[in-house]
Amino acid sequence: QLQLVESGGGLVQPGGSLRLSCAASGFTLDYYVIGWFRQAPGKEHEGVSCISSSDGSTYYVESVKGRFTISRDNAKNTVYLQMNSLKPEDTAVYYCAVLRGITVQAMCVRTTFGSWGQGTQVTVSS
């Protein structure tokens, strides 16, 4: 069974930090492009950050550049999203997704995937 499980969300004050985890089971993330997406209430999924397992290249949506960092722990088969200087507009449910044979830029501008997991809620509020 192929599965991605997101975790690490929570409630945080503006300016705070969270680290999200995307743990893969049933397969390894090798040869995949992995992306973090978010969905705010009433809005479609938005690509946030993506990373390539083959060459390590990364992509960040303009609104999170300098604040978010995507990384991968090969031993744990897990991808992380470190989120610093969080803003209320970052509030959303965050999901991870994977594809093969795609650039990180193309991955992060996609709006639909075959399926989404439960995601993890990030709420930034004062």
Side-chain angles (χ1 to χ4, degrees), residues 96-114:
C96 60
V98 299
L99 288 174
R100 299 182 69 177
I102 192 170
T103 66
V104 292
Q105 294 87 353
M107 178 74 171
C108 266
V109 300
R110 291 181 69 98
T111 58
T112 60
F113 289 87

Side-chain angles (χ1 to χ4, degrees), residues 13-37:
Q13 297 285 324
S17 298
L18 288 171
R19 189 179 74 161
L20 307 184
S21 298
C22 174
S25 61
F27 71 105
T28 65
L29 292 172
D30 295 349
Y31 310 111
Y32 284 89
V33 174
I34 307 96
W36 282 100
F37 299 78

Side-chain angles (χ1 to χ4, degrees), residues 9 23 25 28 42-44 51 53 61 65 69 74 79 89 101 104 110 118 120 123:
S25 61
T28 65
K43 297 183 178 180
E44 295 185 358
I51 186 168
S53 63
V61 69
K65 287 182 178 178
T69 303
N74 292 335
V79 171
E89 47 264 51
V104 292
R110 291 181 69 98
Q118 293 300 116
T120 185
T123 303

